[in-house]
Amino acid sequence: MRAVRLTQAGRPLQEADVDRPEIGASDVLIRVAASGICHSDEHYRAGISRIDRLPVTLGHEIAGWIEKVGGDIKHVTRGDRVCVHYLAHCGSCEFCVRGLEQFCRTGEMIGKHRDGGYAEFVKVPGTNAFVLPDEIPFEIGAIMMCSSATALHALNKARLKPGESIAIFGFGGLGFSALQLARAFECDQIYVVEINPAKLASAKMLGAVPIDATKGDPVEQIDHATNGKGVDVSLELIGSAKTMRQAVQCLGALGRAALVGLTAESMSLSPYTELINKEVEIIGVSDHLAADLPTLIEFARSGKLRFPPNALRFVDLDAEQINASLDAFRNSIDHIRTVIKVASEV
Ligand SMILES: [Zn+2]
Ligand SMILES: [Zn+2]
């Protein structure tokens, strides 16, 4: 079968002819229909995120049809449409049995630690295959399994409730999903903090109150907009100590700040006035869980989570086209997602 693989960090991905994977009793083989090209794939190719075992077929945002089913797998059969949870895990360790598989010590990310979806077929553990309802196109089923799933996990970790307000710091791919999912949670006012005018305009179009951080302290702007009450939940999706601090400072009493962006910087806070007095919580968010996915799939099925057709671009399973899409991440600021159309029918 054809696959597009990372053979050496810092080098373009290469096309390869590899054997179709053999599956075990607990696996399924998926004929890939669509595979999302993610910003982290660019980091793997560049060597910013190191991968120890190469070559590997990249691609962790996968949707397709079940081609073969291992003997132990009962929830899917050949021909079923599925999307893939990218974290392969042992299923039996102290974390896995509690449904916290992102801490599994032997966990492997599909498309990083083991071969992923930039290929005609991919082998995944059967428990990682989730039935994709007919209403959700394969390309959406693929791209929602990464940033949208993490945005939903962040909202779950922050315990966002109907009627609560939320401030979203950063309106990239995560923020785009977080805004729609927050609305699906029936939250009250949504504030989006950004410096990019196009992103602020897009947030406003989706019903949020845009907070332009170039026009003054966003904490003061949110304070003003909420009549001094502050927000119930904030999401930091940028990865900067400055915005993390603002995400805490804009909270009202009993507020929860979910920090998703990555940074090695330190953050300082005034414990009495900013934490203790208001009993606010700061919550770290890493990735997402299989347990988040049924809700995510239902939100996409019912149209509460949408990706407008002009937000998608398609390429073929072709090394040159995929490398060009990865190059484009370096200077892109738009919401357009690129999807590899691997196959369009069984
Ligand atoms: Zn991704
Ligand atoms: Zn485990």
Side-chain angles (χ1 to χ4, degrees):
M1 67 169 190
R2 288 186 306 119
V4 173
R5 316 192 83 199
L6 178 64
T7 49
Q8 195 187 331
R11 306 277 305 160
L13 305 186
Q14 288 181 352
E15 216 147 306
D17 197 8
V18 296
D19 291 338
R20 201 187 276 200
E22 295 290 331
I23 62 164
S26 61
D27 298 319
V28 293
L29 184 70
I30 295 171
R31 180 186 288 268
V32 180
S35 201
I37 299 182
C38 181
H39 203 159
S40 24
D41 294 328
E42 204 277 306
H43 289 172
Y44 304 146
R45 188 187 63 167
I48 297 168
S49 289
R50 260 177 57 95
I51 300 182
D52 292 329
R53 270 175 296 162
L54 291 175
V56 73
T57 303
L58 297 185
H60 56 269
E61 304 178 2
I62 305 165
W65 302 269
I66 296 285
E67 175 79 12
K68 264 190 197 168
V69 185
D72 295 348
I73 300 302
K74 305 292 176 214
H75 71 293
V76 287
T77 55
R78 185 166 195 274
D80 281 355
R81 303 170 85 248
V82 292
C83 50
V84 174
H85 176 38
Y86 60 57
L87 196 61
H89 53 285
C90 79
S92 55
C93 73
E94 56 177 314
F95 294 113
C96 284
V97 294
R98 291 159 61 201
L100 302 171
E101 74 273 7
Q102 88 260 55
F103 305 117
C104 177
R105 287 188 212 292
T106 56
E108 289 187 325
M109 183 164 165
I110 295 164
K112 181 183 183 189
H113 303 119
R114 51 196 281 169
D115 288 336
Y118 289 11
E120 291 178 280
F121 295 90
V122 62
K123 173 178 87 167
V124 305
T127 48
N128 285 58
F130 284 72
V131 171
L132 185 67
D134 288 338
E135 295 94 326
I136 309 175
F138 284 117
E139 56 270 24
I140 305 302
I143 60 171
M144 73 182 190
M145 300 307 277
C146 184
S147 58
S148 307
T150 300
L152 178 60
H153 186 59
L155 296 175
N156 283 334
K157 291 285 291 181
R159 311 187 304 279
L160 179 68
K161 291 189 278 293
E164 290 193 322
S165 57
I166 180 169
I168 299 170
F169 287 76
F171 200 59
L174 276 162
F176 184 75
S177 292
L179 192 165
Q180 297 182 64
L181 295 168
R183 186 163 326 110
F185 274 61
E186 295 173 1
C187 75
D188 185 31
Q189 203 62 264
I190 304 171
Y191 302 92
V192 168
V193 182
E194 252 297 339
I195 54 172
N196 180 297
K199 290 183 178 179
L200 285 163
S202 147
K204 191 175 177 192
M205 282 230 313
L206 288 165
V209 177
I211 302 284
D212 184 347
T214 65
K215 299 225 166 90
D217 182 358
V219 178
E220 277 170 28
Q221 294 187 59
I222 290 170
D223 188 64
H224 185 73
T226 57
N227 292 319
K229 187 172 165 276
V231 289
D232 298 300
V233 165
S234 61
L235 295 189
E236 203 280 351
L237 309 173
I238 296 166
S240 130
K242 184 180 168 189
T243 43
M244 285 181 181
R245 180 151 191 223
Q246 292 168 344
V248 177
Q249 290 171 325
C250 73
L251 294 173
L254 301 174
R256 288 89 65 201
L259 309 185
V260 186
L262 303 178
T263 177
E265 298 170 64
S266 300
M267 169 172 80
S268 67
L269 287 166
S270 306
Y272 177 53
T273 54
E274 292 172 1
L275 289 179
I276 297 165
N277 219 10
K278 296 193 280 183
E279 289 204 342
V280 307
E281 296 169 57
I282 301 174
I283 300 162
V285 178
S286 176
D287 238 316
H288 58 267
L289 295 168
D292 298 309
L293 298 176
T295 309
L296 183 76
I297 292 168
E298 176 51 26
F299 283 162
R301 192 201 61 76
S302 61
K304 288 177 178 167
L305 175 67
R306 286 168 197 269
F307 296 86
N310 61 5
L312 295 173
R313 183 191 293 133
F314 294 98
V315 296
D316 300 322
L317 181 62
D318 171 272
E320 201 174 318
Q321 292 181 40
I322 295 169
N323 281 310
S325 306
L326 292 172
D327 294 342
F329 276 113
R330 288 186 204 144
N331 35 32
S332 108
I333 53 150
D334 57 27
H335 282 131
I336 295 179
R337 290 296 321 269
T338 306
V339 179
I340 306 168
K341 259 216 149 93
V342 182
S344 49
E345 55 191 280
V346 185

